[in-house]
Amino acid sequence: MREVLAVVYREYLIRRTSPLWLFFDMAVPLLYLLMFGVAFDKALGAGLSLEGESIQYNQFFLAGVLSMTCFGSAINQSYGFFIDRDNGIFYEFLTYPMTRSQFLMGKILFQCLMSVVQCALTLVLAVAVLDIAIQWEYLPLIVAGVVMGTAGWFFFLAIFAFLIRRNDTFNTAINVAYFVLIFLSTTFYPIDQAPAWLRLSSFLNPLTWHTDTLRFLTVGIGAGGTVLFEAVCFGAFLLVSFWLAVRTLQRAV
Amino acid sequence: MTKRQNAIEVDNLVKVYQTKNRGPLRAVDGISFSVRQGEIFGLLGPNGAGKSTTIKILTTLVLPTSGSARILGHDVVTQPLEVRRQICVVVQENAIELYLSVRNNFRTFGKFHGLSTREVELRCDRVSELFGLREHLGEKGSDLSGGLKRRVQVAKMFLIHKPIVFLDEATTGMDTFNKRATVAAIKEESRKGRTVILTTHMLDEAEELCASLAIVNHGKVIAGGSTDQVKSLGLKLLYLTLSFDKVPERTLKAIQRANPVKIEVRGATVEVTVREEDVALKILNTAKRLGSLKQFEITSASLEDAFVEMIDKKAGAP
């Protein structure tokens, strides 16, 4: 545990050096919800019809903001590998008395703390400003969902950060992947009325699994059985990504 | 010396990299050596010889293709964590936290190696004094010059007490004063029983520090042993410097008849390179007998001479 906490301490010291970065980290999900969410909510007027029920767009979009927050947080942390590699410190880290998995766990523990704070602020804003009803009784599960989402995407992206040596290539790949994953998922819109190919793609997309789980936990939208299946799939995605990330890190030099 | 007292044992180590254009590259090709506890050991060789890859294998950064390496009895492949608990490493790359101050660089390094905050602060003062970093403790890594960054990187190794220290080109970029301080600190740590493995391009530094060494080229050890042994493995060259008021023509002709390796006249001084002691003495006697010799000096080959000789010989140079 000491090794994991040492990584967390290092990440904390680095993040503390840039208050502006910290501010924007916290502000982006709030801005997304306030600007994009509110605008679409007004544009759609009567709201969305889901499984025969009418719901406000803000209510639907909240889980999308939370899952995007986890994804963005994971991108930030995985991009840090390139900075560490450019500084040379990455290679020194790998000679420190800790396992590769402890190194990754320390990185993700810090980033999960950041994601939880970001998501907590988003939920408070959703309740206080947008009057969205949150299922507070599921709060521990919501926190677990945020942690799993951040970790899953971080381990997944870390595999590519170790395999791709150029940060510009990584940036491009991540931008394309982000775009595709988000629009082939239930982040921005319900997928029920979409063409079959889009529904199939969305069904196979871990971002859909994560978003649907958070949506069910926060505002109660979705069928319990399907969401449970999606949550299990995302758990498997997390474990496989972790295993692959550790293996790739062994050969990252 | 028994095997148990060896801090490092490397046996027939091989590392093959798959390259896109040139096929498999044998960066390390059957290297074997051992290092005794408390010894300063030098791994020397030209660029691309396989030194850094060997260090990367020993420090668990890279897996070998075959062969074995043990650090204080722990296998680098099957017990990497145990190995990492015994070592500290100055990697070849400049490794510093650019966003953190020098003090926080020390703090994070100390935390990773299990030091309490109090211990870090105490040792930080001592180490920053030793490496002349006291006035830079508050500066960010990104604001330091290249030499200072390297100094911070090396200083971190003296913050903790790991039995084995790897220094890959540790003094690169340092000025003379800091190089001296680093060399002195390395010697002091060795006296305390720490084993130091260093790679360097500066052969005078290796000659001053290393009790034993291995010269590596094309992934193979081409010479190894104590520093004196390695020096003597090169062609046994002797350098004679003969000073005259004015170099007499007949003395010069007599020296040429002795068939030296090289002869150079610089004003009133003749520099002669020979392979054997007998030839050196013969030339010296001739110079004395023929008169007007003011001063003479005989020196043996340096490690650098031996190094150049061996690398050239292996490369097929005349």
Side-chain angles (χ1 to χ4, degrees):
Chain A
M1 195 58 190
R2 174 184 61 76
E3 295 83 355
V4 174
L5 291 178
V7 183
V8 173
Y9 177 69
R10 181 253 177 183
E11 296 295 319
Y12 158 73
L13 285 180
I14 289 178
R15 198 61 63 94
R16 208 180 60 171
T17 59
S18 177
L20 197 66
W21 183 14
L22 201 61
F23 171 76
F24 280 114
D25 249 6
M26 296 298 149
V28 164
L30 306 182
L31 294 174
Y32 239 118
L33 193 61
L34 279 179
M35 295 162 78
F36 192 90
V38 169
F40 262 71
D41 193 67
K42 296 293 174 204
L44 288 170
L48 301 165
S49 175
L50 265 179
E51 294 162 4
E53 278 186 54
S54 176
I55 56 161
Q56 287 298 304
Y57 184 75
N58 274 333
Q59 196 182 358
F60 176 84
F61 186 49
L62 175 63
V65 173
L66 297 182
S67 65
M68 278 197 295
T69 301
C70 297
F71 199 111
S73 200
I75 289 178
N76 274 349
Q77 189 60 281
S78 56
Y79 190 75
F81 289 121
F82 287 92
I83 298 169
D84 290 346
R85 196 142 44 192
D86 288 348
N87 294 351
I89 199 83
F90 179 71
Y91 304 103
E92 198 180 277
F93 276 146
L94 299 182
T95 69
Y96 290 174
M98 60 182 168
T99 61
R100 303 299 189 241
S101 45
Q102 283 170 333
F103 176 56
L104 290 178
M105 291 305 280
K107 287 249 179 201
I108 197 53
L109 182 57
F110 175 80
Q111 205 56 43
C112 282
L113 290 173
M114 294 290 294
S115 291
V116 168
V117 175
Q118 284 173 302
C119 290
L121 289 174
T122 309
L123 287 177
V124 168
L125 183 89
V127 173
V129 180
L130 304 176
D131 201 25
I132 297 173
I134 304 290
Q135 303 184 118
W136 291 113
E137 65 275 22
Y138 287 146
L139 189 62
L141 286 176
I142 296 170
V143 171
V146 168
V147 167
M148 280 181 69
T150 310
W153 288 117
F154 168 70
F155 295 136
F156 180 73
L157 295 171
I159 300 166
F160 299 98
F162 300 142
L163 288 174
I164 299 171
R165 295 304 172 106
R166 290 181 56 160
N167 59 5
D168 52 354
T169 310
F170 180 75
N171 260 341
T172 308
I174 292 305
N175 281 337
V176 172
Y178 190 57
F179 174 82
V180 172
L181 285 169
I182 280 201
F183 287 103
L184 290 182
S185 75
T186 53
T187 305
F188 285 105
Y189 37 72
I191 216 79
D192 311 31
Q193 306 302 317
W197 67 269
L198 208 150
R199 264 185 288 145
L200 179 67
S201 308
S202 171
F203 184 68
L204 299 172
N205 182 351
L207 197 61
T208 299
W209 308 337
H210 186 228
T211 309
D212 286 353
T213 306
L214 287 175
R215 187 164 288 135
F216 180 80
L217 292 171
T218 50
V219 292
I221 296 173
T226 310
V227 169
L228 182 64
F229 177 71
E230 287 181 305
V232 170
C233 286
F234 194 86
F237 167 74
L238 187 158
L239 291 176
V240 171
S241 296
F242 176 65
W243 180 73
L244 283 173
V246 172
R247 278 185 67 86
T248 321
L249 180 56
Q250 313 274 22
R251 295 161 201 280
V253 178
Chain B
M1 227 12 111
T2 65
K3 266 200 152 186
R4 288 174 76 86
Q5 286 164 303
N6 282 338
I8 298 173
E9 287 172 342
V10 176
D11 185 25
N12 202 20
L13 207 60
V14 173
K15 178 68 190 178
V16 181
Y17 287 109
Q18 296 301 327
T19 62
K20 277 182 188 165
N21 303 325
R22 291 184 295 162
L25 171 73
R26 292 179 82 85
V28 176
D29 193 4
I31 281 181
S32 300
F33 62 84
S34 60
V35 183
R36 290 194 297 268
Q37 283 184 24
E39 188 175 66
I40 304 179
F41 180 85
L43 206 52
L44 313 180
N47 289 335
K51 311 180 297 281
S52 287
T53 305
T54 305
I55 294 283
K56 280 178 180 169
I57 294 171
L58 296 180
T59 56
T60 77
L61 281 170
V62 163
L63 289 171
T65 307
S66 65
S68 71
R70 300 181 83 81
I71 306 287
L72 291 173
H74 303 293
D75 189 278
V76 295
V77 176
T78 57
Q79 299 168 287
L81 184 59
E82 287 308 316
V83 169
R84 283 180 222 134
R85 286 185 177 137
Q86 311 296 333
I87 64 172
C88 53
V89 188
V90 171
V91 293
Q92 194 174 36
E93 295 80 7
N94 261 345
I96 187 166
E97 299 278 15
L98 295 182
Y99 302 135
L100 299 183
S101 66
V102 173
R103 187 181 287 282
N104 277 339
N105 264 275
F106 288 146
R107 280 178 180 156
T108 50
F109 186 80
K111 288 271 180 203
F112 275 112
H113 288 86
L115 296 186
S116 67
T117 308
R118 196 179 128 72
E119 279 175 311
V120 173
E121 295 306 325
L122 283 172
R123 294 182 191 188
C124 174
D125 285 345
R126 185 178 58 81
V127 164
S128 52
E129 190 68 52
L130 185 66
F131 285 90
L133 291 166
R134 189 173 282 281
E135 63 192 280
H136 303 287
L137 281 173
E139 289 175 32
K140 272 191 181 178
S142 53
D143 296 335
L144 302 177
S145 67
L148 270 172
K149 282 178 190 159
R150 198 66 176 163
R151 237 194 287 172
V152 172
Q153 197 181 345
V154 174
K156 287 192 294 189
M157 301 305 124
F158 299 95
L159 199 71
I160 54 172
H161 296 300
K162 293 295 170 80
I164 304 198
V165 185
F166 288 92
L167 304 169
D168 199 356
E169 306 286 350
T171 57
T172 303
M174 284 187 187
D175 62 33
T176 310
F177 292 106
N178 288 302
K179 218 177 271 183
R180 281 188 184 179
T182 306
V183 166
I186 293 169
K187 280 182 175 172
E188 180 59 28
E189 292 302 311
S190 166
R191 270 194 290 274
K192 287 180 190 165
R194 287 175 99 176
T195 307
V196 181
I197 295 87
L198 61 91
T199 72
T200 179
H201 280 103
M202 277 156 277
L203 298 170
D204 53 340
E205 190 178 287
E207 192 168 0
E208 185 184 350
L209 277 170
C210 299
S212 61
L213 46 89
I215 295 183
V216 182
N217 198 20
H218 299 302
K220 294 178 191 289
V221 173
I222 57 170
S226 74
T227 304
D228 286 338
Q229 280 171 340
V230 172
K231 277 162 69 177
S232 68
L233 283 174
L235 285 178
K236 288 178 184 169
L237 296 177
L238 291 168
Y239 301 103
L240 265 86
T241 308
L242 307 168
S243 302
F244 302 88
D245 286 327
K246 183 172 179 274
V247 181
E249 195 59 32
R250 57 182 186 153
T251 306
L252 204 55
K253 280 182 179 164
I255 293 171
Q256 279 164 343
R257 277 197 296 275
N259 203 18
V261 174
K262 200 166 82 178
I263 178 164
E264 258 183 87
V265 181
R266 296 174 193 272
T269 303
V270 181
E271 291 175 359
V272 191
T273 308
V274 296
R275 289 192 200 281
E276 288 154 26
E277 283 173 14
D278 288 352
V279 179
L281 290 173
K282 190 177 159 191
I283 290 172
L284 189 60
N285 280 332
T286 307
K288 272 177 75 179
R289 188 164 40 82
L290 295 179
S292 74
L293 177 66
K294 276 177 65 185
Q295 225 179 334
F296 71 92
E297 192 183 349
I298 302 178
T299 52
S300 61
S302 66
L303 180 60
E304 186 165 332
D305 298 317
F307 177 83
V308 171
E309 195 70 38
M310 275 183 270
I311 299 294
D312 279 354
K313 202 159 68 178
K314 294 281 171 180

